[in-house]
Amino acid sequence: MIQFYTPDIEETLTLPETESGHCCRVLRLKEGDEIESVDGRGHRFRSEITLAHPKHTKVRILQRTDVEPARRHKVTLAVAPTKNIDRIEWLLEKAVEVGVDRIVLVKCEHSERKNVNCERLEKIIVSAMKQSLKASLPQFDGFVQLKEFLKGEAEAVSAGDGKQRFVGYCSDEVERRSLAGEYAPGSDAVLLIGPEGDFSPEEIDMALKSGFTAATFGEMRLRTETAALYGLQSVHIANDIAHAHAEK
Amino acid sequence: MIQFYTPDIEETLTLPETESGHCCRVLRLKEGDEIESVDGRGHRFRSEITLAHPKHTKVRILQRTDVEPARRHKVTLAVAPTKNIDRIEWLLEKAVEVGVDRIVLVKCEHSERKNVNCERLEKIIVSAMKQSLKASLPQFDGFVQLKEFLKGEAEAVSAGDGKQRFVGYCSDEVERRSLAGEYAPGSDAVLLIGPEGDFSPEEIDMALKSGFTAATFGEMRLRTETAALYGLQSVHIANDIAHAHAEK
């Protein structure tokens, strides 16, 4: 099944240009054909094509469905982009597939990469949402300074948002706890993963002061993008396990 | 730190050709320099270069260490290669990083891919082992017929190897259990993941008769390679959690 992304279908009754092209040029759909789409805000639509235009395909909405989120816990993934951008593109695709609610790319002291093409990454996030048939698009904050990100997190902590915050850190100069042991199923989480060169001591200090717990994600030495996905899945799987045992 | 792969260093006191080239040409190491290497069978070596030859670098072993495995549970990952081989190459790298003991590529009825370059995949497995500083190389069985693989598994079951076996299946015509709920931490596991077109009903029937439990890996619709990694990580994380709580 093909799922289109139509963020403003209810207002415009029109597919975005790229989706119109995919619909008419690639798939050769015609007037009267039915399509499925999501608005990225939790709604799925079944529509009938009324005008098969390669740039501005018009539709009539036949059905609007509120898609219940598959999971209750929300996860924010903040990660320093890797030197090799393919690894981050891969991570974003996988993160969206397994489920993530907010993605932040953070610029760190030891980051080798100074720029990222956020537009391209946004496209990857959208196509991963479509491919995995999700109806909600994760919030993507782009590439921000670590200090800015931590400032916002510290404010959220003082506001008492009750999220659990973990920062993956390699150096054992700081006491670290196991993410698997510390995360409480059901709670929202914020995961922060540093660059290949790890965080600087000052950055870790700042993270701890901003409400993060220094964490290990396992016994293994993992690449940045593997650690990010492993951390994200640790949260999901802790919930899967709690949920499965609650059902027994 | 660079870790070389020297499968037969104890017998030959020589680095393999590729490693010799990396050592002398790329890293420009000379006689008297020290290197670290592993044999892929759980041993790490500290050696001194006695002859810096671009094809046959000779060494003197200074120290041999038995590397204790970071985890007790063993996992076999059997997966049908994806149409796009990059996704399998990526999966193998990640699987080795997070930890896997045996990798089998299975040929299924709905497999679009009929051939794989096992030599290239073997190289990816080796470099992932080196990169993640592991001392043990996972067993790689190459690309085998699903029927052959299941025959061997059924024999292992009758021999009472006590492993838990799960087959990821998309169709809900078969009753499926949650992997997270069924897997018992500490036990060895065999995970079987099908091709993009899923298993055929006959193949699932064969898997069930061979001792596999039909399993869901979560609520999400995942690509083949994402499902494989998610399943593998589910096993590791279930053990991480059990271990962390046992320590408390």
Side-chain angles (χ1 to χ4, degrees), chain B residues 31-61:
Chain B
E31 285 77 6
D33 290 339
E34 286 189 14
I35 61 166
E36 285 229 343
S37 71
V38 293
D39 63 3
R41 296 184 301 279
H43 310 111
R44 179 167 282 121
F45 302 88
R46 193 163 58 77
S47 311
E48 179 189 341
I49 298 175
T50 54
L51 173 67
H53 186 286
K55 288 189 170 180
H56 315 289
T57 291
K58 296 277 181 190
V59 301
R60 183 167 61 85
I61 295 172

Side-chain angles (χ1 to χ4, degrees), chain B residues 66-102:
Chain B
D66 288 8
V67 181
E68 288 298 317
R71 58 191 166 76
R72 288 221 188 76
H73 63 283
K74 304 271 176 235
V75 187
T76 293
L77 184 63
V79 59
T82 50
K83 192 175 165 190
N84 172 350
I85 197 68
D86 295 352
R87 296 185 169 278
I88 280 298
E89 296 185 352
W90 161 82
L91 170 64
L92 295 194
E93 176 187 292
K94 295 312 171 202
V96 173
E97 268 186 78
V98 302
V100 65
D101 302 279
R102 180 182 165 216

